[in-house]
Amino acid sequence: MDVAIDTPAKTFIQVAEIWVPDGDRLVHGGGSYGDLTAFKAASHRSSFAKGEGLPGKAWAEARPVVLKEFEGSIFQRTEAAAAAGLTSAVAVPVFAGKTLKAVLMVLCGDDAERIGAIEVWREKDNCLKLDDGYYGAAKHFEWVSQHTHFPRGQGLPGGVWAAETPILMRDLGSGYRFIRADSASKAGLTTGLGLPIPVPSGETYVLTLLSARGTPIARRFELWDARVAKVGKDGGAVLADGICAREGRLWDADNPRKISAWQGVIGQVVGNGLPAVESGAHGLAAGYSSMVALPIYHGAELAHIVAWYV
């Protein structure tokens, strides 16, 4: 359903960009920068060797990496980021088996208004514990998260761990399935997206994106299933779940929505197996200014695509 929606004045994530392997370096593979033109130009001029900068660190260490401040860190575009008001970033490597397909980077600014969460959970001692995360102004929720752990199947991170699939969770502040519901309600967090991040070591990582009304991570979320068992031998992907702030649920169980390889942005991800970041009206549903589509692999096979729109 394509209808015009209001674009929020502020979003929790300000920049999303893709870095793809080219020989022994990661090169710029697209991004959404809004009006941060100087930072965009600096990014287009950049590339990273393995272990170099934040994308290179995620590549070398083969795991998601959170960087809460840039000054004095491995981040290499510090001056341009400071001028753009960017203060933190999360790098998410996309592996198909042992092969790095790309690194997705999301960057945020820090002020008193931005509320949300980007969390990395890691399995330790047979439960998921917070490896690191960025929360903006949601300091109490950050403290609660640092002192919470999830057995397999419990809460959003534990549910993703048990199912090995992305999960979209609504009404975080009132949902009994969300373990941190009380503190989420106080922070104004409303929607949660959890996704497995497979890495070559076989360690368990779960990424969670928690969105608030005032500074949302996204206005629309989509979960696409690309497993052959679901889409058949001809391939493609089926919309398995989705929600939009205005449109509500996007999926009709009696009429599943399927796309073929190379059909639109999601089909492009099915076709080439790489994440996509789009900005502007081209290829997007009406009323959205940007989108991120992230492939998730099971072994070497594409299993899911997670998309969010602003």
Side-chain angles (χ1 to χ4, degrees), residues 224-239 256-261 270 301-303:
W224 295 83
D225 196 326
R227 293 173 293 183
V228 173
K230 293 290 184 179
V231 300
K233 56 182 176 57
D234 294 333
V238 174
L239 183 62
R257 180 180 173 190
K258 182 177 179 179
I259 55 98
S260 303
V270 173
E301 301 299 321
L302 178 64

Side-chain angles (χ1 to χ4, degrees), residues 6-33:
D6 298 325
T7 301
K10 280 190 174 184
T11 55
F12 189 67
I13 295 174
Q14 292 174 262
V15 169
E17 56 187 18
I18 299 167
W19 299 90
V20 295
D22 183 7
D24 60 355
R25 300 190 72 82
L26 293 172
V27 299
H28 192 269
S32 174
Y33 296 89

Side-chain angles (χ1 to χ4, degrees), residues 116-224:
I118 306 173
E119 305 173 313
V120 176
W121 299 87
R122 182 179 183 179
E123 191 271 323
K124 294 180 181 177
D125 303 322
N126 205 33
C127 65
L128 289 176
K129 299 180 180 179
L130 187 68
D131 193 55
D132 211 342
Y134 175 69
Y135 297 84
K139 301 303 181 186
H140 176 70
F141 186 79
E142 179 177 9
W143 183 89
V144 170
S145 302
Q146 290 168 342
H147 294 82
T148 303
H149 63 271
F150 296 94
R152 184 189 293 267
Q154 187 178 73
L156 179 57
V160 172
W161 181 18
E164 296 184 332
T165 63
I167 293 176
L168 187 56
M169 191 173 283
R170 289 95 160 149
D171 302 322
L172 298 184
S174 58
Y176 71 93
R177 292 170 56 209
F178 194 73
I179 305 304
R180 297 167 286 166
D182 182 61
S183 53
S185 177
K186 292 175 180 176
L189 299 171
T190 58
T191 306
L193 175 64
L195 47 154
I197 305 297
V199 296
S201 68
E203 289 184 277
T204 297
Y205 286 95
V206 172
L207 178 72
T208 50
L209 306 178
L210 309 180
S211 190
R213 285 192 183 91
T215 53
I217 284 176
R219 290 287 189 171
R220 171 171 170 160
F221 295 94
E222 297 173 350
L223 304 184
W224 295 83

Side-chain angles (χ1 to χ4, degrees), residues 15-123:
V15 169
E17 56 187 18
I18 299 167
W19 299 90
V20 295
D22 183 7
D24 60 355
R25 300 190 72 82
L26 293 172
V27 299
H28 192 269
S32 174
Y33 296 89
D35 59 359
L36 303 179
T37 53
F39 186 77
K40 177 180 179 179
S43 301
H44 276 274
R45 295 192 298 267
S46 300
S47 67
F48 302 94
K50 195 171 188 178
E52 185 179 35
L54 184 55
K57 181 180 176 69
W59 182 14
E61 298 187 3
R63 65 179 182 91
V65 180
V66 178
L67 201 56
K68 293 183 180 179
E69 57 183 39
F70 296 153
E71 193 65 37
S73 74
I74 60 170
F75 197 80
Q76 294 201 340
R77 294 166 284 165
T78 304
E79 187 174 334
L86 300 170
T87 57
S88 59
V90 180
V92 182
V94 178
F95 282 97
K98 296 185 180 297
T99 301
L100 181 76
K101 303 289 284 186
V103 175
L104 172 69
M105 285 261 293
V106 295
L107 297 97
C108 305
D110 189 14
D111 59 41
E113 297 178 15
R114 282 193 169 87
I115 299 284
I118 306 173
E119 305 173 313
V120 176
W121 299 87
R122 182 179 183 179
E123 191 271 323

